[in-house]
Amino acid sequence: MDFSFLPPELLRMILSILLVVTVVFANAIFMVYAERKVAGHVQRRFGPYEVGWHGVLQPFVDALKLMGKELVVPRNASPFLFRFAPVLAFTPVVIPFLVFPFAEKLTVLDLDIGLVLILAISSINIMAILVAGWSSNNKYGLFGAMRSVAQDISYEIPILLSLLSVALITNSFNLRTIVQAQIGGVWFCLLQPVAFIIYFIAAVAETNRAPFDLPESESELTAGFHTEYSGMGFGLFYLGEYTNMFIACSVAAAVFLGGWSGLPLPADAWTGVIWYFLKVYLLMFIMLWIRWTYPRVRFDQLMNLSWKYLIPFSLLNLIITAVVVKLT
Amino acid sequence: MSNYFSNIFHTTKSLFTGLGVTIREMFRKPVTVQYPREVIPVSPHFRGPLELLKKEEGGFRCIACENCARNCPSSCLTVVSRRSEESKKKVLVSFTQDFTRCSLCGICVEVCPASALAYSSTDVYLAGFTREEFLLDLIARANKGEGP
């Protein structure tokens, strides 16, 4: 077929949106499988094993099952908000993919405020959780939602402060510029180890992953904010969670681990994406590993960690960075 | 203040210890058994339904003394015998166990003077759809094991 009648910019947009949506879904499918396999092997089980070779088809049949189920709206729930919340959890997470520097020539939008955009958009997730918990007219849902808001607000600060110290060094919020600055010198995880560690801890909390999974703590709140959700509504929350994990790890890979840089490959400008994904999934694996190692923290411990440890250290780190940048 | 920093140190150390434990376990062989395809060998001490043992030259060891039936606290054993015409000895006619009532206490096995009873350790899949399936005819079960 001949697409030359279309403006090239439109064609590029359609292609990149298709690619981005594909990555989002493929990532969710892969992570469902990886999570269950890692969980299994950490507990010395096999994990999914029956559907397909070593259970590789399990996420697909799970998705089919979820799609086949009815989304039950509880009585006295707010029907519009109840249906809207999963969509709100899932749709905005696609946007940060537009600014990720997957490889030197593989960025959808070369935005100067990329980092700010990602942070702004990924905060919408909190809204989705709040709307879901509130609209489902369930005490557990509401508790989960409230905890989530308190948690995400307190962990947003260390994330911002730790990323800000990198932005001070590179003097830019553009992710491509940040990656290129690392290719010239050292990766920022060596230059800013404290910021990297703080960012990663806060990112685990920000994506509501165990040991900070208080919004859905299943032992206290049945399932927290998605207690009342069934079928694909529940599925979309999971899709959103895994995509948020990808976003958090992707930012870490770009800002601290040198993005697409790595050992030289043929056609570097395009194949750098391999290194990028390798780094992202390494960080994702560490997130899974953390989840299946630690028990859930208590709520006061969660707040202590953020306000008494992460924020002071990231502030100190930021000040030292600012002074050093000013002096040199 | 020194408490604050030692807290950080000890917490970090113990967190890494935990991560070390899980990563080690992750690369070890899983301990679960994939049930329909793999089965665990049954322990020789497994207490299944009773089993009538045979003499080496053939025939049951049971002398039909009914000690087991009399001592059974759940009264779940029924031994039927008749007196042989020529040898004047008791001959076993039927030996049934009502497994729905058996508490697997093992008194029957202990009191048997001829050591003719044992627990079967082969039949561990004790499930059925009717009560009658658990009225076990031990003679038939023992003979079935010999094969055609």
Side-chain angles (χ1 to χ4, degrees):
Chain A
M1 269 192 282
D2 186 25
F3 287 110
S4 55
F5 63 91
L6 287 168
E9 196 49 32
L10 183 68
L11 199 65
R12 201 179 93 94
M13 213 156 80
I14 293 171
L15 266 180
S16 31
I17 286 173
L18 273 179
L19 269 178
V20 160
V21 172
T22 315
V23 168
V24 167
F25 276 89
N27 168 61
I29 293 245
F30 174 73
M31 283 312 287
V32 169
Y33 180 71
E35 170 116 55
R36 293 183 60 184
K37 271 292 183 196
V38 169
H41 281 275
V42 163
Q43 296 164 355
R44 300 191 66 189
R45 301 180 281 113
F46 284 101
Y49 203 71
E50 294 300 320
V51 193
W53 180 82
H54 279 250
V56 283
L57 296 178
Q58 188 71 46
F60 295 97
V61 291
D62 280 351
L64 265 183
K65 179 203 129 194
L66 282 176
M67 277 185 245
K69 285 175 90 173
E70 184 190 358
L71 177 58
V72 182
V73 182
R75 200 183 303 141
N76 298 331
S78 165
F80 172 72
L81 287 181
F82 188 79
R83 290 202 180 86
F84 180 61
V87 182
L88 191 61
F90 167 66
T91 33
V93 296
V94 179
I95 297 171
F97 281 81
L98 299 181
V99 292
F100 285 144
F102 289 110
E104 203 178 340
K105 288 185 179 165
L106 217 61
T107 315
V108 182
L109 267 177
D110 194 10
L111 212 59
D112 276 340
I113 49 157
L115 208 52
V116 181
L117 178 85
I118 292 168
L119 292 172
I121 297 293
S122 57
S123 303
I124 294 179
N125 185 41
I126 311 165
M127 271 291 288
I129 290 174
L130 182 64
V131 168
W134 185 80
S135 66
S136 56
N137 191 34
N138 177 309
K139 59 185 170 200
Y140 299 121
L142 191 60
F143 272 136
M146 290 306 183
R147 285 180 177 191
S148 164
V149 173
Q151 174 182 339
D152 286 7
I153 285 175
S154 17
Y155 278 88
E156 206 109 287
I157 303 166
I159 284 191
L160 283 172
L161 291 177
S162 54
L163 290 180
L164 210 56
S165 46
V166 172
L168 274 184
I169 298 176
T170 55
N171 206 11
S172 164
F173 280 122
N174 188 331
L175 282 169
R176 272 171 59 87
T177 318
I178 293 175
V179 172
Q180 268 154 358
Q182 294 174 77
I183 292 171
V186 289
W187 289 1
F188 287 141
C189 65
L190 301 174
L191 209 59
Q192 290 278 357
V194 179
F196 178 53
I197 291 164
I198 289 173
Y199 173 80
F200 196 67
I201 294 172
V204 173
E206 184 76 4
T207 48
N208 298 327
R209 298 279 304 172
F212 308 109
D213 59 341
L214 284 109
E216 52 164 298
S217 43
E218 58 263 37
S219 50
E220 307 146 40
L221 302 179
T222 49
F225 63 92
H226 56 53
T227 306
E228 294 288 356
Y229 281 90
S230 53
M232 213 48 210
F234 175 77
L236 282 184
F237 275 118
Y238 260 84
L239 215 61
E241 178 179 329
Y242 286 122
T243 316
N244 271 320
M245 271 173 78
F246 186 93
I247 292 167
C249 293
S250 185
V251 171
V255 173
F256 293 105
L257 295 181
W260 67 77
S261 64
L263 297 176
L265 287 169
D268 235 342
W270 301 97
T271 50
V273 69
I274 296 172
W275 290 116
Y276 192 83
F277 272 88
L278 218 61
K279 286 166 187 170
V280 171
Y281 281 103
L282 182 74
L283 290 173
M284 299 265 259
F285 170 74
I286 294 174
M287 269 194 174
L288 295 184
W289 181 15
I290 287 173
R291 165 161 187 188
W292 295 103
T293 304
Y294 302 134
R296 186 180 314 116
V297 295
R298 226 169 40 223
F299 199 74
D300 59 315
Q301 294 169 332
L302 178 86
M303 287 294 148
N304 273 351
L305 179 66
S306 174
W307 294 98
K308 282 169 73 180
Y309 295 92
L310 297 186
I311 292 178
F313 272 100
S314 51
L315 263 178
L316 197 69
N317 187 50
L318 182 66
I319 293 167
I320 294 172
T321 313
V323 169
V324 171
V325 166
K326 184 76 189 164
L327 290 181
T328 49
Chain B
M1 201 60 192
S2 70
N3 204 7
Y4 179 84
F5 286 104
S6 70
N7 238 348
I8 294 177
F9 175 73
H10 288 299
T11 313
T12 317
K13 204 178 129 197
S14 74
L15 288 179
F16 277 101
T17 315
L19 286 177
V21 169
T22 40
I23 199 82
R24 260 203 313 280
E25 294 299 318
M26 208 180 134
F27 289 107
R28 286 169 72 186
K29 206 169 154 283
V31 289
T32 48
V33 175
Q34 300 292 299
Y35 166 61
R37 275 173 259 113
E38 286 177 72
V39 249
I40 310 172
V42 181
S43 157
H45 296 289
F46 179 77
R47 292 188 168 193
L50 285 179
E51 198 174 50
L52 279 179
L53 298 178
K54 293 190 171 174
K55 290 183 232 164
E56 271 171 25
E57 63 267 24
F60 291 107
R61 285 198 207 169
C62 180
I63 53 171
C65 67
E66 295 185 34
N67 260 344
C68 47
R70 273 198 302 278
N71 281 296
C72 180
S74 327
S75 315
C76 63
L77 296 175
T78 317
V79 183
V80 179
S81 59
R82 62 178 168 82
R83 203 165 281 281
S84 160
E85 291 294 319
E86 57 269 26
S87 63
K88 303 287 185 232
K89 274 184 182 169
K90 277 181 165 180
V91 178
L92 190 61
V93 176
S94 88
F95 197 121
T96 52
Q97 182 190 15
D98 183 356
F99 198 63
T100 58
R101 289 194 306 199
C102 178
S103 58
L104 299 166
C105 64
I107 292 175
C108 46
V109 176
E110 271 178 45
V111 299
C112 185
S115 305
L117 286 174
Y119 290 114
S120 78
S121 57
T122 48
D123 189 10
V124 295
Y125 304 104
L126 299 167
F129 291 99
T130 57
R131 271 164 188 274
E132 287 67 37
E133 284 174 48
F134 295 99
L135 299 177
L136 305 175
D137 183 352
L138 297 189
I139 293 179
R141 278 170 70 89
N143 288 334
K144 199 171 64 184
E146 284 183 342

